[in-house]
Amino acid sequence: MRLVRVVKKVKQRHKASTDLLRLLDEFRRMVNVCIAIGIEENVSSLKTLSLKSYHRLSRDILGYYGLCAISAATGILRNYRRAVRKNPQTRFPHARKLMLTTCYGFRIQNGLLRLPVGPRHYIYIKLNNHTLQVLSGLNARSITLTPDTLGISYAKETVEIKPEGYVGVDRNLDNVTVASTDGTVKAFDLSKATMIKADYRCVKSRLKRNDARIRTEVFSKYGESQRNRVQPILHNASKRIVEEAKTRRYGIAMEKLTGIRRLYRKGNFQSRNYRARMNSWSYGELQRQIEYKARWEGVKVIYVPARDTSKRCSICGYKTLESTQRRLWCPHCGAILDRDENAARNIAAGGLRFSPNGPPGEAVKGNPTTTVILRVDGGKLSPTTTNYSKAALRGLDRTSISYADRSDARSSSETI
């Protein structure tokens, strides 16, 4: 067990005063100045950008707001550099929305957030009961302000539990399938979220107004309404997954999904409706929710390679063939498997293998005592573990291998 610091955020609505709007606008202007300096000087590190831009910021605002503006601009510049490596024609970034992010100067007292705007000049924002209840007994670390929302980040120290097993989470468009290393399987239906997104796509497609400003405003309104309906569905599923892992003292293993959006671009010979459905898949948001909730509860989260998790048989490790209704057939062991359950089991088994506390000697080439993990190593074992692979492919336990077989495997590896 180890002690780690975890951070969460609580949000509420508020109505911005004239002084606050002026402060938000000045902060946005400073962020844009820092972005322009960073692009001009070709820098993206916090220290270098501070040295080159701090003296060029406004003196009419408190100094620590300038430091926070430099920090915000640094994050934007790093994202810009990453985007340019993928697409050299990426446009220069620019902060358009009124915003303020700071970790200095604010204080919470008597149910109010006190924010300085000048020497001995403060703005007060009333906090609602939910925000006060969440923050009771915890340390507020930073705040994020927009004209209509207030977000407060808070932290606590928690103990990360050493997992006794792993829960594999397979994310799909219409469901999330969870399988643990003891064989338990559960599925959470997300088809309602998919239907909500389809309805909003249909509504937005009927807007024919030839005015970009009107379209942006309408799409923004429908987008916020869609998120408000989809988020509770994802929160419900992620909360239940984390609660189950915490109760059973299990870790959580998920696939490392990268480059999914590139599979559904225009020109990939896919229908427009299919690309819209797949690009609306909230796999990243579900991952974010599971990860921060798990870390808050001390549950360990790891990521395993996503290659062939659905295609590889979770019983013998051989490549399966597609059957009907999202089912798979293994030509080696003859098993008929549900595609999602098979993937979740492979992810859970991969959690045992790729975790820091995995079987000893696993990564050592030619180690005669290599531990074979059934349902993971079945179809790709090295020649030094031939006798073990035969038992694994038959679905047998390691205890069924005789002492003579172990001696033969050890002597053969020494000869090699």
Side-chain angles (χ1 to χ4, degrees):
M1 295 185 181
R2 64 189 182 98
L3 195 65
V4 294
R5 173 173 291 180
V6 291
V7 181
K8 288 180 72 174
K9 185 177 182 179
V10 61
K11 294 180 67 176
Q12 73 166 57
R13 294 279 184 175
H14 78 98
K15 186 176 181 180
S17 61
T18 304
D19 291 340
L20 181 57
L21 290 175
R22 191 180 301 113
L23 177 63
L24 297 180
D25 184 66
E26 182 64 23
F27 186 86
R28 178 183 62 177
R29 191 192 67 81
M30 289 193 300
V31 171
N32 287 325
V33 169
C34 295
I35 292 174
I37 295 173
I39 294 176
E40 178 184 353
E41 301 288 344
N42 193 24
V43 296
S44 60
S45 68
L46 180 60
K47 181 179 180 180
T48 308
L49 187 61
S50 300
L51 294 175
K52 291 183 177 294
S53 61
Y54 184 77
H55 64 281
R56 297 170 62 175
L57 299 179
S58 174
R59 300 296 182 181
D60 299 332
I61 194 171
L62 295 175
Y64 44 74
Y65 289 138
L67 295 176
C68 295
I70 295 172
S71 178
T74 302
I76 295 174
L77 288 171
R78 287 177 179 172
N79 291 335
Y80 170 68
R81 278 195 168 186
R82 190 180 301 112
V84 166
R85 287 196 294 267
K86 297 180 180 179
N87 182 14
Q89 297 181 353
T90 303
R91 294 184 297 177
F92 290 152
H94 182 76
R96 294 178 174 82
K97 296 183 179 180
L98 294 176
M99 62 172 182
L100 169 65
T101 301
T102 180
C103 54
Y104 305 108
F106 69 92
R107 180 177 297 179
I108 297 175
Q109 55 184 11
N110 300 326
L112 299 173
L113 173 67
R114 191 186 74 174
L115 186 68
V117 294
R120 293 179 295 278
H121 183 202
Y122 303 97
I123 296 175
Y124 293 91
I125 301 175
K126 183 176 176 57
L127 303 179
N128 58 32
N129 294 331
H130 172 70
T131 303
L132 293 174
Q133 182 180 2
V134 170
L135 295 175
S136 61
L138 299 172
N139 297 324
R141 296 177 57 86
S142 65
I143 62 171
T144 302
L145 277 166
T146 64
D148 54 356
T149 60
L150 163 65
I152 304 178
S153 298
Y154 55 98
K156 75 170 183 178
E157 302 285 342
T158 186
V159 177
E160 186 177 76
I161 304 172
K162 184 177 181 180
E164 300 176 358
Y166 277 92
V167 172
V169 180
D170 179 51
R171 291 162 286 167
N172 301 287
L173 181 64
D174 292 329
N175 68 80
V176 179
T177 306
V178 179
S180 57
T181 49
D182 63 357
T184 306
V185 179
K186 288 186 178 180
F188 301 92
D189 187 18
L190 301 182
S191 58
K192 184 177 179 181
T194 307
M195 293 174 59
I196 292 172
K197 295 174 184 177
D199 292 342
Y200 277 98
R201 282 200 306 273
C202 181
V203 171
K204 290 188 289 187
S205 67
R206 299 175 184 273
L207 181 65
K208 303 299 182 182
R209 186 69 177 267
N210 190 21
D211 189 329
R213 293 172 299 176
I214 298 298
R215 287 200 305 271
T216 301
E217 183 178 352
V218 172
F219 286 2
S220 176
K221 180 185 72 173
Y222 282 121
E224 182 179 3
S225 177
Q226 172 184 308
R227 287 191 297 272
N228 291 338
R229 294 180 61 186
V230 171
Q231 286 288 81
I233 301 174
L234 301 181
H235 275 294
N236 181 43
S238 60
K239 180 181 178 181
R240 293 170 63 184
I241 292 171
V242 173
E243 284 181 349
E244 180 180 355
K246 179 185 176 183
T247 303
R248 306 172 68 178
R249 300 180 66 86
Y250 277 11
I252 296 178
M254 290 187 286
E255 295 172 293
K256 191 183 299 181
L257 298 178
T258 55
I260 296 294
R261 302 304 185 199
R262 292 197 296 267
L263 301 176
Y264 309 108
R265 289 176 176 172
K266 187 176 181 180
N268 286 1
F269 304 101
Q270 299 161 340
S271 68
R272 184 175 182 180
N273 183 55
Y274 177 76
R275 285 188 283 108
R277 288 179 66 247
M278 298 307 298
N279 284 323
S280 66
W281 179 19
S282 303
Y283 68 92
E285 175 62 19
L286 184 62
Q287 172 182 316
R288 184 192 68 85
Q289 293 183 12
I290 292 176
E291 183 169 357
Y292 87 77
K293 291 177 183 179
R295 297 195 188 281
W296 187 262
E297 299 294 342
V299 177
K300 188 177 184 62
V301 178
I302 66 171
Y303 294 92
V304 301
R307 184 179 179 86
D308 291 339
T309 52
S310 297
K311 297 179 181 179
R312 190 178 63 244
C313 178
S314 58
I315 297 176
C316 66
Y318 269 73
K319 187 175 181 180
T320 59
L321 301 176
E322 291 285 346
S323 183
T324 58
Q325 298 179 352
R326 296 186 65 83
R327 301 188 73 82
L328 305 172
W329 175 69
C330 178
H332 182 269
C333 64
I336 298 179
L337 308 166
D338 181 82
R339 180 187 179 91
D340 301 333
E341 293 182 6
N342 182 67
R345 289 194 179 100
N346 284 328
I347 294 170
L352 288 176
R353 175 174 181 174
F354 294 101
S355 65
N357 300 322
E362 180 185 8
V364 180
K365 186 176 181 180
N367 191 341
T369 59
T370 300
T371 303
V372 177
I373 303 177
L374 302 182
R375 305 180 181 180
V376 176
D377 292 333
K380 53 178 182 178
L381 298 179
S382 63
T384 60
T385 55
T386 305
N387 293 324
Y388 290 121
S389 65
K390 292 179 180 178
L393 296 179
R394 290 198 304 267
L396 300 180
D397 226 20
R398 286 187 66 227
T399 56
S400 64
I401 304 175
S402 65
Y403 179 82
D405 292 337
R406 298 182 186 179
S407 301
D408 293 342
R410 187 178 295 108
S411 60
S412 63
S413 63
E414 293 174 353
T415 303
I416 293 173

